[in-house]
Amino acid sequence: CSNSTNRMIPINSNAPVDFTAGSLELQDRADRVVLAGGVTVTQAGLVLKSSRLTAAYSSNGGGTDVERLDATGGVTITKDDLRATSNSAIYDLNANLITLIGGVKLTQGANRLSGGRLVIDLNSGRSTINGGGAPGVTNSGGRVTGTFTVPQRKN
């Protein structure tokens, strides 16, 4: 698989996670919440939108700790001038990683990349995209494709 790396501004993964959705189902025995219908999640300037999202959590005595978000259906993640879209995404708050899978498109300014899988490391601020996606996910032939803009130079 081909790899390409891009920079993303780190976020504070300890910041509160706010959400809006058309519906919410609390599955308390399974320690998860299922959100559906135009889901929007925000955290420290990062915005995640999808059709459906499952939030896994744990209880810590006096409160609840969100540990993982699984988003499906037209996933879009934005932060400043960065925009990433995919079929599904996993946000592991403990590892500070966001993984987008299937039909990934990454745009930052005029730069554009496409591939099968994108991993955003919120600790380092690095984004890595490759051509491979999840098993059975059709992508761009296992290759990363893209366009980088260059400054106009005088000849």
Side-chain angles (χ1 to χ4, degrees):
C1 292
S2 299
N3 290 325
S4 182
T5 303
N6 195 6
R7 297 290 288 163
M8 179 177 177
I9 298 169
I11 70 160
N12 176 6
S13 61
N14 292 319
V17 175
D18 297 314
F19 67 87
T20 63
S23 67
L24 178 146
E25 177 185 340
L26 176 62
Q27 298 176 352
D28 200 33
R29 290 186 180 167
D31 291 336
R32 68 181 173 210
V33 173
V34 178
L35 304 167
V39 178
T40 300
V41 174
T42 59
Q43 183 187 38
L46 180 112
V47 178
L48 184 153
K49 294 184 177 190
S50 67
S51 298
R52 182 179 169 92
L53 183 129
T54 301
Y57 64 87
S58 63
S59 298
N60 66 5
T64 301
D65 290 331
V66 176
E67 296 177 345
R68 178 177 161 142
L69 303 175
D70 292 282
T72 57
V75 176
T76 301
I77 296 176
T78 56
K79 172 76 166 111
D80 300 326
D81 68 339
L82 184 132
R83 176 182 166 90
T85 60
S86 69
N87 298 334
S88 63
I90 300 164
Y91 181 5
D92 184 335
L93 282 85
N94 293 328
N96 293 326
L97 294 173
I98 300 174
T99 304
L100 290 89
I101 303 168
V104 174
K105 295 189 185 320
L106 177 65
T107 305
Q108 191 167 29
N111 300 319
R112 301 190 183 333
L113 297 170
S114 297
R117 186 171 182 264
L118 169 65
V119 177
I120 302 169
D121 184 332
L122 299 174
N123 290 325
S124 68
R126 294 185 83 81
S127 301
T128 304
I129 189 167
N130 64 47
V137 175
T138 304
N139 59 46
S140 57
R143 306 283 294 173
V144 174
T145 60
T147 302
F148 293 113
T149 58
V150 295
Q152 297 301 305
R153 298 174 179 90
K154 293 181 182 181
N155 292 337

